[in-house]
Amino acid sequence: MYGPWKDLGVQVWAVASNEERSTVQNFADQLGLDLPVLLDEDGAVWARYVEAGAFPTAPYPQEWLIGSDGVVTYYANQLEIDAVEAAIEAELAEP
Amino acid sequence: MRLPSIATRHRRRVRSSLVLVLLAGGCRYQPADPGTAPGTGDSGIPSDTGPPTGTSVPTRYALPATCVVADNGVPALVRRGADAHNTPPQFMELVDVELDGDVAWAAGQGGYIPVDVRDPAAPRVLFLDGNFISRLHRVESVRPGLLAGSNRDEGLTLLDVNDPAAPVIVGVARGTGWEGLAAVGDLLYVSSREEGLLVFDVADAAHPRELAAVPGLPSTWELVATDDGWLYAADNDLGIVPVDLADPTAPVVGAPVAMPGATYHVAVQDGYVYAAVGGDGVVVLDRSDPARPVPVAQVTTGGTVVMVAISGRWLYAADHEGVQVVDVSDPAHPVPWSHVETDMFALAVAADDTLAYVGDWGVFETWELDPDRRAPSLSVPSTSLTRVAGVARAAVTNRGAGTLTFSGAVASDGSVVEVGATSLESGEETWLEVGGSGPIEVCLASSDPVSPTLTLKVDDGGDPPVGIVAPDFTLEDLDGTVRRLADHVGDPVFITFFATW
């Protein structure tokens, strides 16, 4: 589903935090997910990103775009396709 | 492949964003905007829902500072019974429901599940065997006593169901990426992502014979056949695709009709086609010219519509959050009748007049509609609001047939709550705004029968973390590949944190 972004050279990862591998595996199979689904079973990565996040009343979803230099260029509490695409284009346009 | 859009849900519990991302339709997410009728957008499809346009001066009303629970009666759609198969406990994961007389066949991770539905108050699972697991996507009744099931990993299974409580596999055909099913006489049409539209002769169920494979359906999730020699495909990429069955063994795939978003399901009744289009709701197409169906109406539901069922005057849409009922007595002018939330994920629905059978992920439910009850259905995208520039704003829509009136609202810090309209007719939308600072709660009182008072949580957004160095991490993915963020310096990385619940 994120094909066009992958073609542009963007790594697209989904992270499942605080859930068991089998639950996530079933979920991914049922939906036929075709992107890497990273397992953060003890929620350690989630905790570090939540500290940096900005929306306390609605923790999920969290969408982060990390630029080529490792710096966060976009963050949102819901998936806004237009905004993410604009951020990706800005990122790829940089020399 | 079309990119998904999303309608974020946080109603009674936080929902999975990734499910909505993958199931929602449309390339464009348009935040609700007061004064814009839902359903009118890039697609140009006319919509009867939404407030009148052309008002130049936005009106604001401060709601009385009172939040009293009123007895607003019952909603038009009420749950009559359910079976979650707790004896012994076995999770069903339902993704399709097909009615076959007194039995509803539910399908999903749990396999082929017959449910006795003679008593709407007491649906009863007749058979569920953990060893009978097959990851089904669609079931279709072929003829009395014969059921077909499609499985994306394995292909086609044919079952003798003369005794519904003891289904027996009698025939199989192997393939991958098979999904949509439609039976016409002794022929079974199957959509295959790799091969296109397959035609099977299933007169002898033990030996299904493939007669043809016609390309042109790259990602079809469901097929539906008409009485007049046509088939319509719900193709995730192409939209609604008509298929000419003038020669039933040599189908001709026609020109697709693009939909506003990704298409997941399709139903047909008389001269109209009804498409399930994810976050873009339901699109009604006029098939007076069967080869060229024309979109004539669209209804959004606030959820992600993945299945539709139609019976007479009533259309039922399973939209992940619950069920939306629409009155389609005039299909070109559909009227939202009632929207109810289910406990889990409503992904499947079948209907017989005023009875709807819902696959609510782990529960099979029977719902009954009172056709004479005009009740409002209050709908908000989320009950968690974040202030932007000191103001939190929510779109509020009436997805029921009766008038929705707001009687008052109380903010826990005494802030005034304002709305753009104090009452909404069926399908109309307005906005609600509140200021204040820090975390507060707002109690909103209305004539909605399910939530006479609704609690909204409001808080400030923090400073967005743009500009910080993303915390490095190393995690293993489901395939066993170890992925470290720092390894990808040089490429942009898009990460979405999600939950499966």
Side-chain angles (χ1 to χ4, degrees):
Chain A
M1 285 249 168
Y2 293 93
W5 294 356
K6 287 186 198 169
D7 292 340
L8 293 171
V10 180
Q11 293 289 323
V12 182
W13 296 349
V15 180
S17 300
N18 296 309
E19 298 202 69
E20 286 183 2
R21 171 183 281 273
S22 58
T23 310
V24 181
Q25 182 77 62
N26 281 341
F27 185 80
D29 289 346
Q30 193 67 33
L31 292 176
L33 297 186
D34 65 353
L35 73 168
V37 179
L38 280 56
L39 295 164
D40 177 32
E41 287 179 271
D42 62 3
V45 175
W46 165 245
R48 289 165 63 210
Y49 274 77
V50 159
E51 279 173 21
F55 294 89
T57 60
Y60 284 116
Q62 296 225 1
E63 321 291 349
W64 298 73
L65 182 67
I66 299 155
S68 318
D69 53 359
V71 169
V72 176
T73 60
Y74 169 86
Y75 166 81
N77 192 213
Q78 57 190 6
L79 184 59
E80 297 161 343
I81 298 280
D82 288 352
V84 177
E85 286 184 342
I88 289 175
E89 277 161 29
E91 186 60 34
L92 294 172
E94 284 169 25
Chain B
M1 183 116 200
R2 282 176 168 272
L3 289 178
S5 72
I6 189 172
T8 309
R9 298 270 158 265
H10 297 286
R11 192 77 187 234
R12 295 202 176 87
R13 357 189 281 231
V14 176
R15 301 280 188 171
S16 162
S17 71
L18 193 60
V19 176
L20 294 176
V21 162
L22 294 174
L23 298 184
C27 293
R28 307 264 156 231
Y29 170 67
Q30 294 177 342
D33 190 21
T36 305
T40 56
D42 298 336
S43 62
I45 295 172
S47 171
D48 273 332
T49 61
T53 54
T55 47
S56 54
V57 177
T59 43
R60 312 179 71 85
Y61 303 91
L63 289 176
T66 168
C67 193
V68 178
V69 178
D71 179 2
N72 294 325
V74 294
L77 189 67
V78 171
R79 198 171 93 160
R80 292 289 312 280
D83 190 342
H85 205 272
N86 291 317
T87 313
Q90 189 152 359
F91 200 72
M92 295 190 281
E93 295 198 29
L94 306 173
V95 298
D96 195 13
V97 178
E98 166 95 344
L99 270 182
D100 185 13
D102 291 335
V103 174
W105 286 94
Q109 182 80 7
Y112 306 81
I113 304 167
V115 186
D116 180 340
V117 293
R118 280 174 295 178
D119 180 2
R124 195 165 54 92
V125 171
L126 296 171
F127 173 82
L128 181 58
D129 179 351
N131 295 320
F132 208 71
I133 292 285
S134 183
R135 282 201 249 127
L136 301 192
H137 290 273
R138 297 284 181 235
V139 281
E140 174 91 350
S141 184
V142 179
R143 54 178 179 262
L146 185 65
L147 190 77
S150 64
N151 183 313
R152 273 189 201 145
D153 296 334
E154 295 175 12
L156 178 68
T157 307
L158 294 162
L159 300 99
D160 180 326
V161 295
N162 281 300
D163 177 1
V168 178
I169 295 176
V170 293
V172 295
R174 295 263 171 243
T176 55
W178 293 11
E179 189 151 6
L181 294 175
V184 182
D186 280 335
L187 296 178
L188 186 63
Y189 297 91
V190 183
S191 63
S192 157
R193 284 168 195 243
E194 289 168 21
E195 301 147 276
L197 182 63
L198 309 175
V199 187
F200 281 91
D201 180 334
V202 293
D204 176 3
H207 303 98
R209 278 192 309 133
E210 184 178 318
L211 302 177
V214 178
L217 298 180
S219 186
T220 290
W221 286 44
E222 180 63 306
L223 298 168
V224 66
T226 69
D227 294 332
D228 58 355
W230 285 85
L231 198 67
Y232 292 93
D235 191 280
N236 213 243
D237 293 346
L238 300 179
I240 294 297
V241 187
V243 180
D244 190 342
L245 300 183
D247 177 354
T249 62
V252 177
V253 176
V257 180
M259 289 289 102
T263 310
Y264 296 100
H265 199 260
V266 61
V268 170
Q269 181 171 265
D270 302 329
Y272 293 90
V273 178
Y274 301 87
V277 198
D280 292 285
V282 178
V283 171
V284 184
L285 300 94
D286 182 330
R287 62 179 289 262
S288 304
D289 177 357
R292 267 166 286 276
V294 176
V296 293
Q298 180 176 2
V299 177
T300 56
T301 73
T304 305
V305 180
V306 293
M307 189 169 293
V308 286
I310 182 132
S311 182
R313 172 181 168 195
W314 304 109
L315 177 134
Y316 301 84
D319 72 357
H320 204 262
E321 307 304 307
V323 179
Q324 171 78 54
V325 183
V326 184
D327 180 350
V328 291
S329 24
D330 178 359
H333 300 95
V335 176
W337 201 264
S338 184
H339 190 281
V340 291
E341 286 199 353
T342 58
D343 291 339
M344 293 193 163
F345 304 115
L347 300 184
V349 61
D352 182 10
D353 192 22
T354 56
L355 286 173
Y357 303 96
V358 179
D360 187 26
W361 198 229
V363 188
F364 181 94
E365 301 169 353
T366 309
W367 290 74
E368 186 159 17
L369 179 70
D370 179 353
D372 300 319
R373 174 94 174 106
R374 286 182 172 264
S377 290
L378 169 60
S379 173
V380 287
S382 170
T383 52
S384 293
L385 310 183
T386 303
R387 292 189 193 85
V388 176
V391 177
R393 189 180 178 103
V396 184
T397 308
N398 179 8
R399 303 196 188 274
T403 307
L404 178 69
T405 53
F406 302 114
S407 50
V410 174
S412 52
D413 67 348
S415 294
V416 172
V417 179
E418 292 183 306
V419 290
T422 53
S423 73
L424 298 173
E425 296 306 316
S426 174
E428 287 186 346
E429 178 185 315
T430 188
W431 50 264
L432 176 147
E433 271 187 12
V434 66
S437 67
I440 65 171
E441 285 193 356
V442 171
C443 177
L444 175 68
S446 74
S447 61
D448 178 72
V450 175
S451 304
T453 60
L454 181 68
T455 300
L456 304 171
K457 292 185 188 301
V458 182
D459 203 347
D460 300 322
D463 295 323
V466 172
I468 65 162
V469 174
D472 189 22
F473 59 83
T474 305
L475 292 177
E476 191 181 315
D477 73 17
L478 286 173
D479 296 329
T481 307
V482 174
R483 298 187 183 266
R484 182 175 178 192
L485 182 63
D487 288 344
H488 294 276
V489 170
D491 291 330
V493 180
F494 180 75
I495 298 176
T496 175
F497 285 91
F498 74 103
T500 64
W501 38 270

